[in-house]
Amino acid sequence: MTLSPTTLPREPVLILGAGLMGRLLAWQLTVQGHAVDIRDAGSPDGNTSAARVAAAMLAPLAEAAVTEPNVVAMGQYALPRWRELIAQLPEPVYFQQQGTLILWHRQDTGEALRFAGLLGATQRALPTLPAPENVHGQRLAELEPAVANRFHQGIYLPEEGQLDNRQLLHALLKALERHGTQVQWNTPCTLDQALDWQTRHGGWVLDCRGLGSQPDWTLPGPTLRGVRGEVVRLHAPDVTLQRPTRLLHPRYPIYIAPKQNHIFVMGATEIETDDLSPVSVRSALELLSAAYAVHPGFGEARILELNTQCRPTLPDNLPAVRQPAPQVLQINGLYRHGFMISPAVLDAVIEHMHSGTQTLADRLQLCFNTQQPSAVV
Ligand SMILES: Cc1cc2nc3c(=O)[nH]c(=O)nc-3n(C[C@H](O)[C@H](O)[C@H](O)COP(=O)(O)OP(=O)(O)OC[C@H]3O[C@@H](n4cnc5c(N)ncnc54)[C@H](O)[C@@H]3O)c2cc1C
């Protein structure tokens, strides 16, 4: 969706949080003529954001196993939008759309059947999704020769993608700098402080603080929670996987997302806690063993990073936009799908800001609550 800069109001905007959603919104609103003020609690490399740690897979159908059809539909909407958005950025961002490969060991065939059943149900709900392909022998070897002698079958999900999250965060900052928009780093901000800013400047406040919004997302009790994810970043010159690969497993399901230059991001645990402490030995052992089981070349890989972040998550595990006060939007709950769906959320928020409508949000069934319960703020 493209909006004409000339027809838009140019009210000032304060954005809290310069992680994934904050940076995307700041960039697009700046391009469209708004003066944007941004505050972030962390540093420019995104050290306090989930966005920096994420694997940044754009895998709507693969995620059908753990989410609802509306999130899958947002992911499907977002894939071509990412291509457009990345093309407008001033620095390159690795973006790949060569599908996802799902693998399992013979003893986990039950998991594969369960997964295939979930794919089928999502496919029936969203018939425009590209059809999954069962792959065996020669076809599997054509797709990923590196795994063909260890696995004899798999499911290939065409058109799914991934991008390099750190390049994206960097390129978004460069784009903002080119427009003369600066971020105030190491500046944590509350919603009350943002409302003071709005009283003085007018315009809009967009709360994109991810898990940092927890104190201001409390009706009737704390409803925004963290879901801890631990990941490993490896340099594995002997591994030639070309596309995101997932291993189905009843206890240690993992994904391996190949970035450029033989860098692999592997993850992720899914633990119900806000704990941001370093990766546990158990998680590291499980992730690394599972990766070694997919490809022995990981045995000689070098561990570049073991990292933890928490996914900002609402009770239904779905994203939501809500308006606690006039021209104040809280955008949150992106959970494990921030990269997959953020272009859809971006376009829906900008549509609302500029025209007061929610056509896209309605179409994609994105929860967009513009009621203003007085107790929220
Ligand atoms: C291990 C892991 C793997 C993931 N893998 C994927 C994946 O493969 N695909 C996918 O689509 N998604 C993935 N995600 C999810 C994705 O990273 C998140 O959904 C997304 O980053 C959420 O975006 P956000 O902008 O809401 O929050 P964040 O990216 O966390 O950004 C929030 C920002 O707000 C700032 N902030 C916090 N408090 C304050 C304050 N008081 N004042 C000012 N600023 C503040 C923070 O510093 C941060 O920069 C993964 C997440 C994790 C943790």
Side-chain angles (χ1 to χ4, degrees):
M1 184 172 81
T2 42
L3 295 162
S4 157
T6 52
T7 57
L8 302 177
R10 297 180 183 205
E11 293 184 275
V13 182
L14 172 65
I15 298 185
L16 308 186
L20 174 61
M21 229 30 256
R23 281 186 211 205
L24 270 177
L25 276 159
W27 170 48
Q28 285 295 287
L29 289 168
T30 301
V31 167
Q32 293 173 22
H34 292 264
V36 179
D37 200 340
I38 318 165
R39 315 269 161 84
D40 192 276
S43 58
D45 66 2
N47 66 336
T48 47
S49 69
R52 179 175 169 78
V53 172
M57 289 174 300
L58 314 171
L61 193 50
E63 286 295 305
V66 291
T67 192
E68 303 295 324
N70 64 330
V71 175
V72 177
M74 286 179 229
Q76 199 186 6
Y77 171 93
L79 274 164
R81 272 297 276 148
W82 269 124
R83 203 176 272 286
E84 288 170 9
L85 290 166
I86 286 171
Q88 294 161 26
L89 283 166
E91 304 237 338
V93 176
Y94 172 65
F95 172 84
Q96 183 207 58
Q97 215 180 332
Q98 291 187 53
T100 301
L101 183 62
I102 313 288
L103 298 172
W104 60 89
H105 295 295
R106 212 182 292 274
Q107 65 271 25
D108 298 325
T109 302
E111 280 299 301
L113 291 172
R114 193 184 69 85
F115 184 80
L118 292 166
L119 289 187
T122 307
Q123 194 78 39
R124 285 190 290 282
L126 299 169
T128 57
L129 284 169
E133 183 190 344
N134 289 316
V135 290
H136 305 266
Q138 185 56 32
R139 175 68 175 134
L140 180 57
E142 279 164 24
L143 281 171
E144 285 295 354
V147 298
N149 58 356
R150 294 202 143 204
F151 295 88
H152 303 292
Q153 56 182 331
I155 301 175
Y156 174 56
L157 307 178
E159 296 181 30
E160 299 210 319
Q162 62 156 330
L163 55 78
D164 186 311
N165 48 326
R166 295 185 181 180
Q167 286 177 2
L168 176 75
L169 291 175
H170 175 75
L172 286 168
L173 267 198
K174 291 288 157 201
L176 285 169
E177 279 169 22
R178 288 208 178 173
H179 285 92
T181 305
Q182 298 295 329
V183 184
Q184 291 183 41
W185 300 109
N186 303 306
T187 310
C189 199
T190 64
L191 197 54
D192 281 344
Q193 288 169 326
L195 293 173
D196 285 347
W197 178 96
Q198 193 188 40
T199 306
R200 281 180 277 118
H201 299 270
W204 288 83
V205 169
L206 304 182
D207 179 1
C208 302
R209 290 173 294 165
L211 206 53
S213 295
Q214 240 174 355
D216 293 313
W217 196 292
T218 53
L219 185 72
T223 56
L224 186 64
R225 70 187 201 281
V227 178
R228 174 178 162 100
E230 295 154 303
V231 291
V232 188
R233 195 168 262 258
L234 298 173
H235 181 229
D238 296 340
V239 179
T240 51
L241 287 179
Q242 295 168 58
R243 56 179 57 73
T245 301
R246 296 183 181 216
L247 179 67
L248 300 179
H249 190 281
R251 279 188 296 158
Y252 323 126
I254 61 154
Y255 55 71
I256 301 168
K259 306 299 178 190
Q260 286 169 304
N261 305 321
H262 294 278
I263 304 291
F264 294 83
V265 178
M266 187 183 303
T269 55
E270 178 103 7
I271 304 171
E272 284 290 337
T273 170
D274 294 348
D275 176 8
L276 282 169
S277 64
V279 176
S280 71
V281 169
R282 171 195 288 235
S283 296
L285 287 172
E286 289 172 357
L287 288 170
L288 291 168
S289 315
Y292 184 60
V294 172
H295 194 301
F298 282 117
E300 283 306 314
R302 297 298 183 260
I303 300 175
L304 303 179
E305 223 178 279
L306 286 162
N307 219 331
T308 305
Q309 256 297 344
C310 285
R311 309 165 178 98
T313 310
L314 290 166
D316 56 6
N317 295 353
L318 297 175
V321 179
R322 68 179 194 177
Q323 181 162 255
Q327 303 217 147
V328 177
L329 295 179
Q330 294 188 290
I331 300 138
N332 221 311
L334 273 65
Y335 180 39
R336 55 184 280 158
H337 303 123
F339 287 89
M340 192 178 101
I341 64 172
S342 48
V345 181
L346 169 82
D347 289 346
V349 167
I350 294 182
E351 180 198 325
H352 173 78
M353 289 173 70
H354 288 158
S355 66
T357 57
Q358 282 129 49
T359 316
L360 182 63
D362 290 348
R363 171 155 76 85
L364 296 174
Q365 295 177 40
L366 166 65
C367 171
F368 209 109
N369 186 355
T370 50
Q371 305 296 314
Q372 291 166 22
S374 55
V376 173
V377 283

